[in-house]
Amino acid sequence: MAAVLVCALAVWAWRDPMAPLRGVLAVQGRWIGLSERHAVIGDHRWAYDEREAKVAGAPTVVMVHGFTGGKENWYPLAERLGGRYRLVVPDLPGWGESQRIDGADYGFAAQAARLADFLRHVRRDGSPIVLLGHSMGGGIAAIAAAEHPQLVARVGLIDAAGVRFQDNQFGIDVLAGENPFAVSDAASLQRYLDTVFHDRAVQPSLPWPVSEAVIGWRIRQAPFEQQVLDRIGRSDQRFLPGQAAAAIRQPALLLWCRQDRVIDPSAMALYAAQMPQAIQVSLDDCGHMSIMEKPDDVAAAVARLISQGTPR
C-alpha cells in the first residue's frame, strides 16, 4: 500500500509540479480553520477560503492579496484573527486558483469592479465588511471602498500600490518596462524573496525540488505578470487608487514597514493626505510582506481599526 501511495504521489507531482506545494498550503489553511470555497461571480470563477467567527454578527474581514501573491499570503494574519471575526480570503481573478481569461483586463479598475461583485456575494446582514488590501490588492481595495461605500464599512491599506512614491529601484525598473519580480532561476528566485522580505529568517522555505517547481511555474506566469504590471504600473490608471482614496470616508488604516523595498514607505503619507481619518501604523524590521513578517503587529492594527477607527 505504501508503494502504491508513493507512486501515486510521484505521478501527481509529475503531472503538476506545483500540486504538492498547493497541497501543503491547503493543509495549512485547514489547520487554522479555513475552509475552501468556490463560486462563479460575474465573469470569473473565484476560489476563496472562509472561516466563521465564534460570535454571530462579528465583522467580516476580507483580505485581498498583491501582485504575484495569493490567498496563502494572509494565512499568518488569518491565524491571529481567527475566531474573533469572520474571515474571507480570496484569490483574485487571474491569480492563484481563481479563473484567468485570456485577453481580460486585470488592472486596478477592472479588479475593483470584480471585487465589489465578490463582496456582494459574501456579505451578510449584520456583519459589516472590513476590507484589507496588500500591495496591488491595497490599490484595488482603495477603489472598491471609494466607489462602493455601502459594501465596505472599514478599509485597511497595507503597503498599498497606487500612488507616486519616492523613487526606489523597484519603481525605476517598473517604469523602465521591466518586471522586478521576474523569476527564471534559483538566483532570481532568491532575489525576489530578498526584495519582498526584509528578514531572511521568515522567508518561505523552498527546498529542492519545490524550488524547481516554483521557478518553472513563475517562468510560465511571466507573460501574465507583465500584462498586469503594464496595467497597474505603467498605464494611465497606475495612480487611480490614490486619486480614488480622496473619496474614502469610512474608518481606515494605513500600515507600512519602514524597510519596504517595493512600495516605498513615503506612499503612506500620500495616502494619508487623501484619508486624514486613517490610523497610521509604521512598523520596523520588516519589508513589503508585513502580513507575513509582522502578523502580530498587523493583527493588533486591524483590531484597532475595527474597535477605534472613526469616519471622516
Side-chain angles (χ1 to χ4, degrees):
M1 179 62 74
V4 171
L5 180 59
V6 169
C7 289
L9 289 172
V11 171
W12 183 41
W14 176 75
R15 289 180 174 175
D16 181 0
M18 286 292 289
L21 178 58
R22 283 197 294 267
V24 169
L25 293 172
V27 170
Q28 182 185 358
R30 289 193 291 271
W31 179 261
I32 61 177
L34 294 166
S35 299
E36 298 176 30
R37 302 278 188 266
H38 295 88
V40 176
I41 304 167
D43 56 355
H44 281 73
R45 176 184 52 79
W46 290 67
Y48 62 100
D49 292 334
E50 185 174 13
R51 177 175 174 174
E52 296 294 339
K54 291 181 179 178
V55 178
T60 294
V61 179
V62 178
M63 309 177 192
V64 184
H65 67 81
F67 180 71
T68 74
K71 59 184 183 297
E72 296 82 8
N73 295 158
W74 293 99
Y75 284 179
L77 182 62
E79 183 176 9
R80 287 153 178 83
L81 296 178
R84 285 184 282 173
Y85 315 109
R86 176 181 171 232
L87 306 180
V88 178
V89 194
D91 278 331
L92 285 167
W95 300 94
E97 297 178 74
S98 289
Q99 184 181 7
R100 180 183 302 171
I101 299 174
D102 289 343
D105 180 359
Y106 294 102
F108 283 130
Q111 292 286 60
R114 295 188 186 104
L115 178 59
D117 288 339
F118 178 78
L119 297 179
R120 292 186 185 94
H121 177 82
V122 301
R123 69 176 171 174
R124 291 180 183 167
D125 290 342
S127 179
I129 288 177
V130 179
L131 180 60
L132 306 180
H134 174 252
S135 192
M136 175 187 74
I140 294 167
I143 298 171
E147 296 185 349
H148 304 278
Q150 74 282 7
L151 295 174
V152 180
R154 297 168 189 265
V155 61
L157 307 183
I158 301 172
D159 306 280
V163 291
R164 182 63 172 91
F165 52 80
Q166 292 179 9
D167 285 342
N168 60 11
Q169 192 59 53
F170 176 86
I172 292 169
D173 290 344
V174 169
L175 291 176
E178 300 175 19
N179 176 5
F181 283 0
V183 170
S184 58
D185 54 23
S188 55
L189 175 60
Q190 187 59 58
R191 184 170 61 249
Y192 164 70
L193 293 172
D194 287 340
T195 299
V196 296
F197 288 93
H198 175 66
D199 185 358
R200 276 198 171 186
V202 299
Q203 290 181 7
S205 177
L206 298 172
W208 187 90
V210 173
S211 59
E212 289 299 314
V214 171
I215 292 166
W217 176 71
R218 289 296 307 281
I219 290 172
R220 294 190 295 276
Q221 300 306 303
F224 176 72
E225 292 180 8
Q226 194 68 54
Q227 170 196 335
V228 175
L229 200 55
D230 286 341
R231 293 295 289 156
I232 68 172
R234 292 186 279 271
S235 78
D236 57 1
Q237 66 171 250
R238 64 189 185 277
F239 303 137
L240 183 59
Q243 296 163 6
I248 295 176
R249 301 193 173 275
Q250 302 96 312
L253 165 69
L254 297 171
L255 185 147
W256 253 262
C257 283
R258 295 188 182 96
Q259 289 77 31
D260 192 334
R261 297 171 58 196
V262 179
I263 309 297
D264 187 83
S266 59
M268 185 163 72
L270 299 177
Y271 268 114
Q274 304 283 57
M275 304 159 58
Q277 81 278 22
I279 297 168
Q280 297 183 53
V281 176
S282 181
L283 302 178
D284 201 15
D285 256 351
C286 54
H288 189 58
M289 297 305 294
S290 55
I291 57 178
M292 299 178 71
E293 293 186 83
K294 295 284 186 177
D296 290 318
D297 295 300
V298 178
V302 172
R304 183 182 170 195
L305 166 67
I306 294 172
S307 64
Q308 300 177 22
T310 57
R312 193 184 327 181

